[in-house]
Amino acid sequence: MATADVPTACPLPHVSDQTPTVVRRGPLSAAAWREYGYVFTSFPVAIAGFVFVVTLFSVGAGLAVTVLGLPVLVALLAGARGLGAGERGRAAAVLGTKAEAPAPMPRGGIKERLADAAGWKAVLFQVVMFPWRIASFVMTLTLLVTGWTVALLPLYAWVFPTFVGWPGYRLFAYTDAVGVRHTYYLESFWQIGAASLLGIGLVLLTPVVVRALNRVDRAAVRGLLAG
């Protein structure tokens, strides 16, 4: 007599695999806030790193004709390696991007240490990523502030006619060359609703843009700071 097969136990998929992508990677998800946090913390880190490498390189290069300049450049490479180690750790902790550390700094005299390719790549990282991280910071902050401000307009649109004396939210106001004043207000239900929908679109688009911006950081960490 044939018997029915008894299904074998199998592990359930991870809970995160069952969560819709819009929740796991949406504007309020933990993943999105990690991306935002990485951008915002990269801003002061980039300034400090850029100032460090530019200052030491300028001093070292200026004194290179003397014996004093070479130890400064060696210190620059050692410091850049330390900054690079911090960047690898931050990228791994926040973005989940793991990069293998480069070989240790060459031993020997000043000449051997100045030939440290990994150290110079770490210096290049600080220089190249400085303008990029400033641009990423400005773009991320602009998208976040603009998106949420416009998306939530229906909640505070009443403030302008009640306390400011405007018929609605003033979108722009300017005086042309002949002295005529031009203003435009969002005052009707449909105008405010359309603006809010646009803001919601920006809110949903922001994490996508920020992830794309951080892909450059991921590539730079793997390309310039890894062994």
Side-chain angles (χ1 to χ4, degrees):
M1 179 178 179
T3 59
D5 293 334
V6 179
T8 58
C10 60
L12 292 175
H14 194 275
V15 174
S16 62
D17 295 336
Q18 302 299 310
T19 308
T21 303
V22 68
V23 175
R24 288 187 287 111
R25 307 187 68 181
L28 295 178
S29 65
W33 284 108
R34 284 195 297 270
E35 300 276 352
Y36 303 154
Y38 184 84
V39 171
F40 291 137
T41 55
S42 292
F43 180 66
V45 169
I47 294 176
F50 182 78
V51 171
F52 173 81
V53 299
V54 169
T55 301
L56 264 67
F57 181 80
S58 300
V59 174
L63 297 176
V65 294
T66 69
V67 180
L68 298 177
L70 300 182
V72 174
L73 293 177
V74 172
L76 165 65
L77 298 179
R81 273 178 165 268
L83 292 174
E87 290 286 359
R88 288 194 303 273
R90 200 164 62 90
V94 182
L95 300 179
T97 301
K98 296 183 179 180
E100 184 179 354
M105 194 171 190
R107 295 184 178 182
I110 291 180
K111 181 178 179 181
E112 289 76 16
R113 292 176 181 268
L114 287 178
D116 179 22
W120 287 112
K121 287 168 65 177
V123 171
L124 180 62
F125 177 91
Q126 298 298 332
V127 175
V128 171
M129 296 307 294
F130 174 66
W132 174 256
R133 285 180 166 176
I134 290 179
S136 297
F137 174 84
V138 172
M139 185 175 296
T140 300
L141 184 62
T142 301
L143 285 173
L144 282 172
V145 172
T146 303
W148 284 104
T149 299
V150 178
L152 298 177
L153 179 60
L155 299 181
Y156 62 87
W158 59 273
V159 171
F160 302 103
T162 304
F163 297 105
V164 184
W166 297 346
Y169 177 78
R170 188 164 70 182
L171 196 60
F172 63 81
Y174 70 94
T175 303
D176 60 20
V178 296
V180 178
R181 183 72 171 173
H182 299 272
T183 57
Y184 187 83
Y185 296 94
L186 301 176
E187 48 188 307
S188 71
F189 170 83
W190 298 109
Q191 289 174 319
I192 294 174
S196 180
L197 289 176
L198 178 61
I200 292 172
L202 285 177
V203 168
L204 296 175
L205 180 65
T206 298
V208 179
V209 174
V210 175
R211 279 194 294 271
L213 294 174
N214 284 337
R215 286 195 186 99
V216 175
D217 287 71
R218 290 180 169 96
V221 168
R222 293 192 182 105
L224 295 177
L225 301 179

